[in-house]
Amino acid sequence: MAVTLPADLSAAMTGVTALADWVIVAPVAVPILFGALLLMFRHETRSHALIALAGLAITVGSTVALLSRVLGEGPLAMTMGRWLPPFGISFTADALGAAFALVASAIALICALFAARDISATGRRYGFYPFLMLMMAGVNGAFLTGDVFNLYVWFEVFLISSFGLLILGSERDQIDGATKYAILNLVGTTLFLIGTGYLYGTFGTLNMADIARKVDGLRGTGPLMTLAALYFLAFAMKAAAFPVNFWLPASYHTPRIVIAALFGGLLTKIGIYALLRVFVMLFPVERAELSTVIGLVAAATMIIGILGALAQSDTRRIFGFVVISGVGVMLAGVALGGAAGTSGAILYAVHSMLVMTALYLLAGLMREVGGSFSLHELSGLYKASPLLAGIALLLVFSISGLPPGSGLWPKVVLVKAALDGNQWWLALAILATGLLTTITMGRVFALAFWREKAALKPEGETGPLTTLGGVSLIALTLPLLVLGVYPEPFIRMADIAAAGLIDSSTYINTVFPGGTP
C-alpha cells in the first residue's frame, strides 16, 4: 500500500523579512495606525489635527526612505506570511509606486495643515481626520500592492473613506454630489471585480509579477483583449475619462474646499496609475492594439473637459473640468506607450497631483479674501493680496503649460512622443488643450485678480489671507516652481519608472528572488 507523504512547500517560502524591508508597508500601516489612534481619541477633537499631522509626517518620511531605496537598489518586495506568490500576497514597490506614494503623502500632509483652520469642530467630530488617514492608507496601498485583487481592495478602502469625506456636513448638495459619485464609482468597481475574476480564471494567479511572466504564453489562447477592454472601462471611470466623466464636476464642488483639493489632486490619478500598471506592464500588446481607441478617448477628454471649464463661472466647477482635461493628457501618454509616452504620462501625473490640489486651495483662499467662489462676484484680489495674486499667476502658468510653470515639460515630452510616433492629431489635441487652458485660466485671473474692485461686494465673509492657508499653498507651489525651472531630476525619475514598467524582468525577479516555485 502506497503511503502519501505530505507535500513539501518549504521551497515556496521566503526567508525572514529584514527589518529595513518593512518600509514597504509603512506608508500603508502608519495611516491605519494613526487612524485607529484618532478613533480612540474621538472625543478629544482638539487634538485630532496634531495627531493626524504627526502620522502624515511619519508617512511622508517612510515614503522618502522607500523611494530612496528603490532608486538605489531597484524594486523591493515583501510577501505576506513568508509565502511566495501565488501562495502569498505581495507588496511591491518600484519607482512608479514609490514616487506616487511620496507625492500623495506630501499632498495629504499639506492638506491636513490647511484643514487645521478649514475644518470646524463639527467636521472633526464627524470624523474628518480618521477618514483622511483611512483614505491615505487606501491610496498608498493601491500604489504599492503587487496583487491585482488587493489593488481592488485598496480601491474600496479609499472609495469608502472618500464617501465619508464627501458628505461631511450632510448638506443637500453634498448628498446629491455623493450619490452621483457613488453610483458611477460603484459601477466602475463592479467592472473591476468582474475583470479580476476573469483574470484569475485565465491566469490562475492575481500576482502582477506572476501575470507579467505568464502573459506571453497565454496570448494565443487567453481572452486577453476582453480583459484589457474591461479594465480600460473600469479604470477610465475611476479616472473620469470621457464619456464616463460626468460624476466628477457634479460632486467635486460640494465638499469643503480642502476635501475637494484632496480629491482633485489624488483620486483620478489612481485610475491613471492602474491604467499604466495594467496596460504598460501586464498587457502591452493589447495596449498597442487599443491605442487608437485610447487616443480618441484621450483627445475627447482633453477637449470636452476644457470646453466645459470655459463654460463655468464657479471656480470649483472650473477646476473640476480642468481635472478632467488633465486626465485626457495622461491618457494620451498611455495611448502613445513606449518609453517617451509612458514617461510623459508619469511626469504629467506628478505635476497634476500638485497643481490641482494647489488650485483648489487657491479657490478656497480666493473665497476667503474675496467672499465668493463665483467669477461674477470676485474682483480686485490683486490689490487685496498681491502674494495670492503672484501664486495664482504661477499656478495659471503651470496648468497651462507655459514657462516657468511645471506643466511645460510633460507636455513637451508627450508632444514629441506623439510626433515621433506619427500621431500628429494627438499632439494637436494636447497643444489645442494647452491654448484653451491658457484662455480659461487667464479668464479666472483677469476677472478675479486684475479686474477693478466692484463697488458692491458680495455677501459673505471676507478678510486677509490667513497665515496657515498661505503657508499651505506656498508649500504646494514651490515644487511646481522647481519642476518648472529644474526638471531634470523629475524627468530622470519618470524615465526610471517608465523603464521599470516596460521591462518588468527586474520587478518579476524581485517578487520571485529564488525563481518561480
Side-chain angles (χ1 to χ4, degrees), residues 80-169:
M80 300 298 110
R82 297 177 55 197
W83 289 96
L84 284 175
F87 305 105
I89 297 169
S90 293
F91 270 78
T92 310
D94 61 359
L96 176 66
F100 276 21
L102 169 58
V103 178
S105 301
I107 285 171
L109 176 63
I110 294 168
C111 284
L113 187 68
F114 189 92
R117 30 81 65 210
D118 189 56
I119 298 297
S120 64
T122 303
R124 293 195 297 272
R125 196 162 52 249
Y126 283 178
F128 170 79
Y129 287 104
F131 279 132
L132 171 63
M133 301 306 283
L134 188 62
M135 191 186 85
M136 286 315 300
V139 169
N140 285 342
F143 289 148
L144 298 176
T145 184
D147 180 279
V148 175
F149 182 74
N150 279 282
L151 180 63
Y152 161 79
V153 170
W154 293 119
F155 264 71
E156 288 296 294
V157 170
F158 78 72
L159 195 61
I160 291 168
S161 50
S162 63
F163 287 159
L165 288 171
L166 201 56
I167 61 171
L168 209 68

Side-chain angles (χ1 to χ4, degrees), residues 4 11 21 47 64 76 106 111 125 162 226 259 301 329 350 372 419-420 423 451:
T4 303
D21 288 348
S47 61
V64 169
L76 300 174
C111 284
R125 196 162 52 249
S162 63
T226 305
I259 298 171
T301 306
V329 178
V350 171
S372 175
L419 293 176
D420 290 345
Q423 303 289 324
R451 183 170 55 175

Side-chain angles (χ1 to χ4, degrees), residues 228 231-232 274-281 283-284 287 290 294:
Y231 277 128
F232 179 67
L275 283 168
L276 287 167
R277 182 68 71 191
V278 170
F279 276 79
V280 180
M281 191 175 95
F283 298 129
R287 184 213 60 78
L290 288 171
I294 299 172

Side-chain angles (χ1 to χ4, degrees), residues 379-397:
S379 61
L381 296 186
Y382 169 73
K383 289 182 179 176
S385 178
L387 174 62
L388 190 64
I391 295 172
L393 190 60
L394 180 61
L395 294 179
V396 168
F397 282 11

